[in-house]
Amino acid sequence: MNKNDLLVDWLEFTCFQDCEELGSEERKKLESWGFDLEKFEHLESGLMGYKKRMWGNYTQILYAGNAGMRTHVILSAKGVRAYEVNNKAENMINMLTHEDISFTRIDLALDIKDNSIEFKQILEYLNNNYIVTRFKKYKYVVEKQLAEDGQQTLGETIYFGSRNSSIFIRIYDKAKQMKQEEGNWIRIEIVYKDEHANALALYISQSKGNLGVLFSKTLNNYIRFVEKSNDSNKRRWKTADFWARILEDSGRLKLSFKGEE
């Protein structure tokens, strides 16, 4: 793999009015947005305060909540990939911006597959504190498998910020997650929530340029890896070459789409 991609990797929104059941009007609207409800099944338990839900193609439709909760739709990462077998997530976002809905979360994922960077390089700069960031903390998580003859690293992830904040960033070794033995595959994900998610959806529906420009600007606004210098003000340190290249390359990308991995 030698091509970098920018993808929608998670999508959540609320729609309709409060309802105890999904009527024919709601079902017709969901199908017009590209959901094949014949592939959905009703589950016995609710979720997130909703009493009822439907599940299909890694997508959940939650309803029968408390007053004002409306109906909530969640497309997980696999749900977006399943949706994009037949349609583009971008098209759905375009349709939804003309409806009475509210986006609560949209994830954008940058896949770096051109071997231009290794995960250990990011860790090295982070461990040396060669970083300028608006976040006050980060978390580094390693998942390992125990075996009689040793340990095998299954995944490594760096989390920036709080999961409850309106912007949340994670960087991880996608090649390890996918058990890919050859080549590097680093994924950078930006989680946009609430007002940021709505602003992102509007940008996607109205923009004629590359979505990568917005992704690059958001990333640079929150994280910048730098080269050490004698300047006492770290914010004046030069941006690390590998990070400048990521920002430049991602800024050229249009939104890609692909089916299930």
Side-chain angles (χ1 to χ4, degrees):
M1 291 178 292
N2 57 10
K3 182 179 181 296
N4 298 341
D5 291 308
L6 183 63
L7 306 164
V8 173
D9 204 52
W10 191 283
L11 181 60
E12 285 189 47
F13 59 92
T14 56
C15 55
F16 310 143
Q17 299 301 317
D18 297 339
C19 59
E20 288 299 314
E21 299 292 342
L22 293 177
S24 59
E25 185 176 339
E26 288 82 11
R27 296 176 69 91
K28 183 177 180 181
K29 180 63 71 172
L30 287 165
E31 289 175 347
S32 73
W33 293 339
F35 296 106
D36 185 357
L37 295 186
E38 290 186 358
K39 296 182 179 179
F40 280 69
E41 61 179 316
H42 291 276
L43 301 183
E44 296 297 328
S45 60
L47 187 71
M48 295 170 56
Y50 291 89
K51 296 185 285 293
K52 300 177 181 179
R53 60 173 164 156
M54 296 174 64
W55 186 93
N57 284 340
Y58 302 99
T59 294
Q60 300 195 73
I61 302 173
L62 315 177
Y63 58 101
N66 296 326
M69 291 176 63
R70 307 173 72 188
T71 299
H72 194 67
V73 180
I74 305 173
L75 285 85
S76 67
K78 288 185 177 181
V80 176
R81 298 285 74 79
Y83 183 88
E84 290 197 328
V85 170
N86 299 310
N87 206 337
K88 296 181 181 180
E90 180 181 4
N91 292 340
M92 177 165 57
I93 292 172
N94 288 337
M95 287 187 288
L96 293 175
T97 56
H98 299 288
E99 302 283 354
D100 180 21
I101 68 100
S102 177
F103 292 94
T104 57
R105 175 179 168 185
I106 302 177
D107 293 10
L108 292 182
L110 171 65
D111 281 339
I112 305 172
K113 299 175 288 187
D114 59 3
N115 295 321
S116 62
I117 186 175
E118 295 184 10
F119 190 81
K120 64 181 180 181
Q121 186 177 12
I122 296 175
L123 274 181
E124 179 183 352
Y125 275 74
L126 192 56
N127 290 333
N128 287 324
N129 204 31
Y130 295 164
I131 184 174
V132 175
T133 178
R134 296 176 61 179
F135 296 114
K136 295 181 179 180
K137 62 180 181 180
Y138 76 92
K139 181 167 62 175
Y140 170 51
V141 177
V142 182
E143 181 182 1
K144 292 191 175 185
Q145 181 174 329
L146 298 174
E148 293 295 333
D149 56 349
Q151 300 182 9
Q152 178 184 2
T153 301
L154 300 178
E156 296 179 88
T157 307
I158 304 167
Y159 300 93
F160 291 95
S162 166
R163 290 184 180 273
N164 296 324
S165 61
S166 57
I167 292 289
F168 177 66
I169 297 175
R170 51 179 163 254
I171 304 174
Y172 59 99
D173 192 330
K174 185 71 173 178
K176 280 195 176 76
Q177 183 196 58
M178 300 297 289
K179 299 180 181 179
Q180 178 180 305
E181 297 182 359
E182 296 182 1
N184 295 320
W185 182 357
I186 305 300
R187 173 170 283 189
I188 302 176
E189 292 180 352
I190 303 180
V191 179
Y192 298 79
K193 289 187 176 181
D194 301 325
E195 70 272 16
H196 288 285
N198 282 288
L200 173 59
L202 196 61
Y203 184 95
I204 291 174
S205 67
Q206 295 181 349
S207 177
K208 297 181 180 179
N210 294 352
L211 184 60
V213 173
L214 179 63
F215 182 93
S216 179
K217 287 182 177 179
T218 305
L219 192 61
N220 188 51
N221 188 39
Y222 283 88
I223 297 175
R224 186 168 65 90
F225 290 99
V226 294
E227 301 290 355
K228 181 177 176 58
S229 78
N230 294 325
D231 195 320
S232 59
N233 187 344
K234 188 189 290 188
R235 295 189 176 277
R236 290 197 290 261
W237 290 8
K238 178 180 177 292
T239 301
D241 289 342
F242 78 88
W243 196 247
R245 186 169 59 250
I246 288 174
L247 295 174
E248 182 179 358
D249 289 347
S250 63
R252 299 193 187 103
L253 294 177
K254 294 183 179 180
L255 195 60
S256 303
F257 73 99
K258 60 181 179 180
E260 296 176 85
E261 296 172 321

